[in-house]
Amino acid sequence: MAESGGANRFARLEALFDEALALPDSARGSFLDRLRVEDAELAAELSRLIEQELALQSSGTDAAFGSFERRLQAVLPTAVHPGAMLGPYQVITELGAGGMGRVYKAQRRDGDLLQTVAIKLLRPELLDQSLLQRFSNERRLLAQLSHPGICRFIDVGSHADGAPFVVMELVEGQPLLAWCDRQRLDLTARLKLFRQVLAAVSHAHQHLIIHRDLKSSNILVDAQGYTRLLDFGIAKTLAPDEVKQTATQDRFLSLANAAPEQLRGERLTVACDIYALGTILYELLCGVPPFDLDGLSAGAIENQILTPPPAAMTRRMDAGDGTELASRRGLPSRQVLAQRLRGDLERIVQQCLRKDPSERYASVELLDEDIEAWLQQRPIRAARGQRWYVLRKFVARNRAASLLSLALFVGLLLTVAIVVAQNAAAVRERDRAEEALAILREAFLSADPARVGGEELSVGEVLSSAESALSERANDQPALYASLTGTLAEVRLRLGQNRVSAELYDRAVQAAQRAGLPAEEIHALRLQQARAWFAADDRERGDAVLVVARTSPLATGPEMDVVEGIARIEARAYAEGIEHFRAAIEGLRSRGADDDWSYTARLRLADALVSNGQFADGEVALREAIAWQRESLGAEHPRVALTELRLVAMLQGTQRGEEAIDLARQVHERILDVFGELSPVTAKAALVRGNGLTYQGRYAESAIHYRQAAGILNRHLGEGHINSLYAGYNLAVALSQDAQTRPEAIEQLTRTLALAEVQLGLDSNAVSLFRSALGEMLIDAARPEEALLLLASSAHRRALERDNNPNRDYGLQLLRAPTLRAPCEVGRPSAEISTACASAQALLGDLADVDD
Amino acid sequence: MSSSANVDITNLLSRWRQGEPGVEDRLAAHIYPVLKELASRQIRRNAGYITVRPTALVSDAYERIAEQKSVDWQNRGHFYAIAATVLRRVLVDQLRQQQSLKRGGDLAFVELEAAEAEPGSNDDATVDWLALDQALNQLADEDASAARLVELRLFSGLSVEEIAEVQGQSLSTIARQWRFARAWLSSHLGDAPLHG
């Protein structure tokens, strides 16, 4: 054969190859035989190639080529025109096309009855006798599927050219996602709808049929709002003898919802439906599918599905317009949506999307149970066995009542966070550590938003140990150190440990600079740093930090206004401070009430107005803050109650004292409902309510509330805690107003004083107040010797000699009381009394020129 | 790489697309050093048993070149197509060099974690790349277009649609061509069936 014939010969070989493969297996032998007569060499080569091709076809997994061919077949078109007949059905119009084939609306006239159906015509290149056979086999099974949520299977048949088709009930409706968005369904409504889908899938699973191609476009919502599942056409029974038929079937699955094992050609179980349900749920909740597959090649898509765990929903959400996503879910902002998705919903979704089928929910029912649990705010299964998770639930339910658990929890989280952050390769674990930290922050803030708990010893201990563990990483992992230390500093600030917090922020900022973190992050830390120094009453350092912050190119945001405002208030430039807070509130308007900056700006504005003598404006500002919180958090939210307590405190001691009492009662009752009788938050409400009654002179009533507060605080914080001591003092003062309860008051205050002397120091300001008050009660109770010994004690004297003691006047006034001198003026006082009398005299003499 | 060289690339790409003879070599001259550097870095890291992700290399090379912001994104497909040819050359060069260093010329394997490869099948996805190169050359002698398709398929990371566009052929032609090329290469690679 001539050289030039080479190319022709090769082209002929290619053509013969196609021709032979198009023949049924049985006809191929005689085709080759005929060729062999004409050109034995060519026939031999063709035979070899066909053998090779058949071997490749039957090799199942097909290695690298599988997906490529899938893609090729997916783009090859097929069409049937309206009017054409598919078996006894006449095509009316095309409804859509997918990876599996095209769908037509068709009808069949059966006597007078006109039956309208949907027909799915499979791609002819998928034409395969076994496929049709399988459909026939499954027909009986599919017919068993009788569930309101599943579109009814009617028949299978084959088109004139041999293409198989499936006849199904025609369902009119909108695809699930589009419907939810259009209806602006909130998360709860979406989840309820999703449970309908789960019920349908569960029904199929009970009949040993898995769907294998679940996707949101396969789920329609009808006019009545019920979901209908389409396309159980490629359903596969779970019977074991059918298991091997995966390779060919999977050619038409939808990659966006396909489970890893489907791409790997492995045995499929209900787990692949769970995975697909997870992808649907993911998008239903956050508006974005788990993986961004747009524009990726088939291989890259497979890699996405097989390798990386899906990003958290809140992170993927950033790809879209957050505000729009939130608004389609009836929520005010992206932040609120993110907050609701974080935690349990994320865990449920991730549990569906595990790469390893055995790590997913074992059944649709279990998934459904978790969603139900979420809807009822119970712990979910996906988190079972996670200690920190259970603790978090506990904390959430018991709020501030569980500070001790919280301490353990914090310790655990930080240990986990530090350990796993060392292993940067474990991306999933690191994400989890980040999540753990986010939870830590959230738990702290929600546990004690009002700081009523104050410093609880074990929390402090745990934080300290975490801080020292962290300090070891300051040099080798400055970025990690900066972010964790920043979190700890925030926690300290919330607990009112302002100086510790400020010092931590100092270190966090330094580390952030060393680590070369982005300017925004450093600036954000610095603003907190300034705020912490102001809170710690160190204006000089606060101002110094602020001066640096002002040099940042980012120094114009609303957060900056908050800090500037605080600095102005510290400098008593109230009017300027007020301007800054107003600007900040305006700039932060889009944020939810869970945003700390926004909340701070509003509270500080109210305080600043009152400080500036604009009492009425202050009240308006505080009421606006409450309305804003209610709108965003709901009227029942504990934080709303805590802000209302501030309003109560503002009204107390004014002419509207009765109004304050009334409001305090409402808030107190609501807090009791939410937090229970034993929470420090309830104690705070009781204290505020008691104060209101005290201001109005209704001591008997205030004693009741003080007693409740003292009981709770003693129990949770210990009797020696400053808050417990103040509650005890208030209780004693209220009781002392009535001669009948005065002995109890004296007993109470004696005890409080003894504890305070130990906890706060013998000559501290608070102790001198308690001592003066006890002295006054003793005088009133006609026990002047005891009063004298107390009020003339050297510790009390030391306290009164201090210039900065705000209770000095009160103490001196008592010393001058004539009844106190009575024991000194009797005939022969004891040595002890004489010393006391001399001491009191000396004190009054020393201070005579200063006071009075 | 100087910016004038990159202006050239855009220009060359559009001329190459119009089928101007000789342009491909000039383009390759631009891309070759970048790809070579990237590939040897990868190979160095995995001395002996070489793991190369061709499509990753190509996209790295593209980014490296596109970084100079002169390569038009619209030409990405064409760039990848050219790079596929170059990458094949780079890899084969590297392998030859490596083999010449090895006593007895033990086979060096490229583990092809090609973009389309199913990672689950990586264990047996080793290819005697030099043999494949040889077979591809033979195929190119008979049907250049089919050989080119295989090259694009294995090295470019382009999607099926993009390959069809670059090749100027319909999808169905490509599907048929692919099926044939695959069988042909498999039979010419003897005992080492082409798993990719």
Side-chain angles (χ1 to χ4, degrees):
Chain A
M1 208 159 269
E3 280 263 301
S4 61
N8 287 336
R9 189 181 159 81
F10 200 84
R12 180 154 185 237
L13 179 65
E14 289 185 55
L16 288 169
F17 179 78
D18 287 339
E19 207 175 317
L21 282 175
L23 294 171
D25 290 353
S26 54
R28 221 169 274 141
S30 52
F31 177 81
L32 280 168
D33 287 345
R34 279 197 303 276
L35 181 62
R36 206 164 284 129
V37 174
E38 184 198 325
D39 186 337
E41 204 187 325
L42 192 64
E45 178 145 27
L46 179 62
S47 168
R48 216 168 36 242
L49 290 179
I50 287 171
E51 218 172 279
Q52 200 65 247
E53 166 65 16
L54 295 177
L56 284 167
Q57 271 182 18
S58 66
S59 72
T61 60
D62 229 5
F65 300 147
S67 64
F68 185 71
E69 297 191 319
R70 259 204 303 274
R71 292 282 292 161
L72 275 176
Q73 278 151 353
V75 293
L76 296 173
T78 302
V80 172
H81 299 290
M85 296 300 290
L86 285 172
Y89 301 93
Q90 184 168 35
V91 172
I92 300 168
T93 175
E94 182 175 317
L95 295 172
M100 192 177 158
R102 285 168 193 276
V103 186
Y104 301 94
K105 181 177 182 179
Q107 52 188 204
R108 169 188 193 168
R109 187 167 293 279
D110 192 7
D112 285 344
L113 198 69
L114 197 63
Q115 185 187 17
T116 306
V117 297
I119 296 186
K120 178 157 269 195
L121 182 63
L122 302 177
R123 301 186 169 286
E125 63 273 18
L126 297 177
L127 176 56
D128 170 350
Q129 281 306 309
S130 72
L131 181 73
L132 207 54
Q133 185 60 45
R134 199 165 50 248
F135 268 123
S136 298
N137 291 345
E138 286 183 6
R139 191 172 163 175
R140 194 172 36 85
L141 274 168
L142 292 170
Q144 283 177 12
L145 289 184
S146 168
H147 188 276
I150 296 176
C151 159
R152 206 156 41 84
F153 167 88
I154 296 172
D155 205 357
V156 292
S158 54
H159 188 31
D161 69 358
F165 60 79
V166 184
V167 185
M168 292 167 299
E169 175 192 3
L170 179 70
V171 176
E172 312 261 15
Q174 289 180 26
L176 180 67
L177 287 175
W179 192 82
C180 286
D181 282 354
R182 204 156 310 160
Q183 301 283 322
R184 297 193 175 255
L185 290 192
D186 63 15
L187 295 185
T188 302
R190 280 167 194 249
L191 286 169
K192 285 182 179 161
L193 204 60
F194 188 68
R195 291 189 68 201
Q196 288 185 29
V197 178
L198 293 182
V201 177
S202 166
H203 173 84
H205 285 182
Q206 278 160 23
H207 286 85
L208 299 181
I209 293 170
I210 57 179
H211 190 291
R212 301 154 43 104
D213 195 25
L214 286 169
K215 51 191 171 190
S216 63
S217 58
N218 264 346
I219 302 167
L220 299 186
V221 184
D222 67 20
Q224 284 75 44
Y226 292 106
T227 62
R228 305 293 298 273
L229 214 50
L230 310 182
D231 259 7
F232 262 101
I234 60 164
K236 182 177 110 38
T237 67
L238 299 178
D241 57 327
E242 303 260 345
V243 160
K244 283 185 183 162
Q245 297 170 340
T246 57
T248 43
Q249 282 177 313
D250 277 353
R251 287 182 182 173
F252 30 71
L253 61 93
S254 323
L255 287 173
N257 306 85
E261 67 268 24
Q262 282 176 289
L263 299 196
R264 286 193 295 254
E266 289 168 6
R267 177 172 184 269
L268 298 184
T269 66
V270 293
C272 85
D273 279 353
I274 305 264
Y275 181 94
L277 287 166
T279 62
I280 295 165
L281 181 58
Y282 192 106
E283 189 166 1
L284 194 62
L285 293 174
C286 78
V288 195
F291 297 106
D292 186 7
L293 303 179
D294 279 355
L296 294 186
S297 67
I301 288 174
E302 290 197 16
N303 188 47
Q304 278 288 299
I305 294 168
L306 292 171
T307 317
M313 290 187 281
T314 48
R315 213 165 303 165
R316 282 280 290 142
M317 239 164 68
D318 292 337
D321 179 346
T323 315
E324 176 63 20
L325 283 177
S327 123
R328 280 200 215 114
R329 283 156 185 74
L331 293 170
S333 71
R334 187 199 163 281
Q335 280 90 345
V336 176
L337 175 58
Q339 199 184 15
R340 301 207 62 197
L341 294 180
R342 248 177 241 134
D344 282 352
L345 286 179
E346 183 66 48
R347 264 178 226 112
I348 291 173
V349 165
Q350 292 290 344
Q351 172 112 357
C352 295
L353 296 178
R354 297 264 186 264
K355 303 293 179 195
D356 180 349
S358 68
E359 289 178 10
R360 294 175 208 144
Y361 285 99
S363 72
V364 175
E365 291 78 12
L366 291 176
L367 166 60
D368 188 55
E369 275 175 26
D370 262 5
I371 291 176
E372 190 184 16
W374 188 88
L375 289 169
Q376 296 172 1
Q377 302 184 325
R378 286 185 286 115
I380 60 164
R381 180 181 300 267
R384 191 174 285 178
Q386 295 166 349
R387 199 163 145 218
W388 54 271
Y389 168 78
V390 175
L391 276 169
R392 168 168 150 51
K393 268 292 167 198
F394 181 74
V395 168
R397 231 182 298 145
N398 297 279
R399 296 285 162 172
S402 54
L403 276 179
L404 183 68
S405 313
L406 193 57
L408 294 171
F409 164 70
V410 170
L412 189 69
L413 284 186
L414 284 171
T415 315
V416 168
I418 291 167
V419 170
V420 298
Q422 288 171 331
N423 184 3
V427 173
R428 205 153 114 192
E429 289 303 303
R430 198 186 53 210
D431 285 351
R432 188 143 152 191
E434 282 170 9
E435 189 193 8
L437 277 175
I439 290 168
L440 153 72
R441 189 190 324 237
E442 193 186 315
F444 253 106
L445 303 191
S446 62
D448 196 0
R451 306 208 311 238
V452 287
E455 179 175 9
E456 206 274 340
L457 192 60
S458 23
V459 174
E461 276 173 1
V462 170
L463 287 175
S464 303
S465 74
E467 281 154 20
S468 67
L470 257 183
S471 67
E472 289 166 21
R473 330 231 133 257
N475 292 321
D476 54 336
Q477 287 174 278
L480 174 72
Y481 177 83
S483 94
L484 291 182
T485 304
T487 303
L488 284 174
E490 193 181 340
V491 170
R492 293 280 195 186
L493 188 61
R494 293 324 172 79
L495 290 176
Q497 298 162 345
N498 303 326
R499 179 160 288 273
V500 182
S501 166
E503 283 163 0
L504 281 175
Y505 273 123
D506 283 354
R507 275 178 253 151
V509 168
Q510 282 164 16
Q513 284 171 325
R514 266 204 314 283
L517 291 187
E520 319 69 277
E521 283 178 42
I522 295 177
H523 185 64
L525 278 173
R526 196 168 270 139
L527 291 182
Q528 292 279 22
Q529 184 191 10
R531 200 172 141 190
W533 279 117
F534 284 124
D537 276 334
D538 196 330
R539 227 183 102 195
E540 209 173 303
R541 298 178 79 164
D543 281 331
V545 176
L546 192 52
V547 166
V548 181
R550 282 192 194 117
T551 64
S552 163
L554 306 155
T556 50
E559 290 93 349
M560 189 77 191
D561 271 317
V562 175
V563 180
E564 293 278 11
I566 292 172
R568 296 300 189 287
I569 300 302
E570 293 294 324
R572 305 201 187 288
Y574 295 115
E576 285 177 44
I578 288 165
E579 285 317 301
H580 278 293
F581 291 134
R582 287 203 194 279
I585 292 166
E586 202 44 52
L588 294 164
R589 200 160 282 285
S590 62
R591 304 218 193 143
D594 55 330
D595 180 76
D596 180 55
W597 285 107
S598 195
Y599 183 57
T600 302
R602 287 165 189 268
L603 290 189
R604 299 295 299 231
L605 173 65
D607 287 349
L609 287 165
V610 171
S611 302
N612 200 35
Q614 299 168 255
F615 184 87
D617 292 338
E619 186 190 339
V620 168
L622 202 52
R623 285 190 186 274
E624 275 174 7
I626 291 168
W628 165 77
Q629 279 187 315
R630 279 180 182 230
E631 194 185 328
S632 168
L633 303 172
E636 301 299 313
H637 197 282
R639 272 189 224 161
V640 178
L642 290 165
T643 315
E644 283 172 330
L645 285 181
R646 296 181 79 104
L647 180 60
V648 172
M650 189 187 273
L651 297 175
Q652 281 169 356
T654 69
Q655 291 183 345
R656 289 156 66 191
E658 289 299 328
E659 186 186 335
I661 288 172
D662 197 44
L663 183 58
R665 181 182 50 76
Q666 294 171 25
V667 178
H668 185 199
E669 281 166 6
R670 197 168 342 124
I671 285 178
L672 259 174
D673 279 350
V674 177
F675 287 91
E677 287 180 9
L678 298 175
S679 154
V681 180
T682 309
K684 161 106 179 171
L687 275 176
V688 172
R689 189 173 175 188
N691 288 344
L693 291 161
T694 297
Y695 273 116
Q696 299 304 107
R698 292 157 63 173
Y699 296 109
E701 291 165 81
S702 70
I704 295 169
H705 299 297
Y706 287 142
R707 202 188 292 279
Q708 184 194 30
I712 297 168
L713 294 171
N714 287 345
R715 187 170 153 163
H716 280 287
L717 306 177
E719 286 184 307
H721 193 281
I722 181 78
N723 289 358
S724 308
L725 295 173
Y726 274 116
Y729 167 76
N730 284 356
L731 172 60
V733 170
L735 290 171
S736 73
Q737 303 300 315
D738 184 331
Q740 281 218 310
T741 50
R742 197 170 293 136
E744 192 195 341
I746 291 173
E747 202 180 312
Q748 169 70 45
L749 194 50
T750 304
R751 184 175 172 71
T752 300
L753 176 61
L755 289 163
E757 284 176 345
V758 174
Q759 293 293 327
L760 309 172
L762 284 172
D763 56 354
S764 65
N765 292 346
V767 166
S768 77
L769 171 68
F770 295 171
R771 215 181 271 125
S772 299
L774 181 57
E776 187 180 359
M777 286 178 208
L778 289 168
I779 292 170
D780 290 347
R783 292 155 69 177
E785 288 91 351
E786 289 165 74
L788 179 65
L789 290 175
L790 199 61
L791 297 176
S793 66
S794 56
H796 198 55
R797 204 176 141 176
R798 278 200 305 278
L800 293 189
E801 278 168 350
R802 254 202 335 272
D803 285 347
N804 67 353
N805 187 342
N807 309 306
R808 186 155 78 165
D809 288 349
Y810 178 34
L812 293 176
Q813 199 185 329
L814 286 173
L815 280 176
R816 287 191 200 101
T819 35
L820 196 65
R821 293 171 176 267
C824 306
E825 285 152 13
V826 297
R828 285 199 307 202
S830 67
E832 207 183 5
I833 295 290
S834 302
T835 313
C837 291
S839 172
Q841 202 56 50
L843 183 59
L844 286 172
D846 286 351
L847 297 174
D849 51 335
V850 184
D851 291 275
D852 214 42
Chain B
M1 196 168 284
S2 75
S3 65
S4 66
N6 289 291
V7 174
D8 275 356
I9 288 185
T10 309
N11 181 13
L12 289 173
L13 274 173
S14 71
R15 281 159 61 195
W16 171 76
R17 199 178 174 186
Q18 285 150 21
E20 195 178 312
V23 172
E24 184 161 335
D25 281 346
R26 286 170 61 192
L27 264 174
H30 282 292
I31 302 169
Y32 187 89
V34 177
L35 271 173
K36 188 177 169 194
E37 187 213 322
L38 291 169
S40 33
R41 211 188 295 158
Q42 264 199 32
I43 290 171
R44 227 180 296 129
R45 250 186 261 131
N46 301 277
Y49 189 84
I50 302 163
T51 302
V52 175
R53 296 164 187 267
T55 53
L57 281 178
V58 168
S59 90
D60 281 356
Y62 179 73
E63 259 168 40
R64 187 80 81 77
I65 290 164
E67 223 167 51
Q68 331 284 321
K69 70 181 188 283
S70 54
V71 178
D72 191 341
W73 277 107
Q74 287 170 349
N75 291 332
R76 178 181 152 276
H78 299 108
F79 175 88
Y80 276 35
I82 290 286
T85 313
V86 178
L87 182 61
R88 181 179 154 201
R89 218 187 296 164
V90 169
L91 279 183
V92 169
D93 286 354
Q94 296 272 358
L95 287 172
R96 288 222 178 88
Q97 196 190 343
Q98 191 137 38
Q99 282 205 6
S100 69
L101 296 174
K102 281 193 172 187
R103 191 172 49 82
D106 284 344
L107 274 185
F109 286 103
V110 173
E111 185 185 358
L112 265 186
E113 294 180 56
E116 317 282 20
E118 308 211 15
S121 62
N122 274 346
D123 289 345
D124 59 353
T126 50
V127 167
D128 177 348
W129 194 250
L130 291 178
L132 181 60
D133 182 59
Q134 227 165 10
L136 261 180
N137 285 336
Q138 281 178 37
L139 178 61
D141 289 343
E142 306 284 8
D143 183 345
S145 164
R148 176 86 181 132
L149 169 64
V150 174
E151 192 177 69
L152 288 172
R153 161 74 189 80
L154 291 180
F155 288 106
S156 72
L158 292 177
S159 69
V160 179
E161 291 84 352
E162 285 169 319
I163 290 178
E165 199 216 316
V166 165
Q167 290 278 77
Q169 281 166 334
S170 74
L171 286 163
S172 57
T173 303
I174 284 191
R176 273 190 296 102
Q177 211 170 43
W178 173 253
R179 187 169 62 171
F180 177 81
R182 184 178 69 160
W184 192 89
L185 284 170
S186 291
S187 78
H188 281 73
L189 285 170
D191 287 334
L194 180 58
H195 279 296

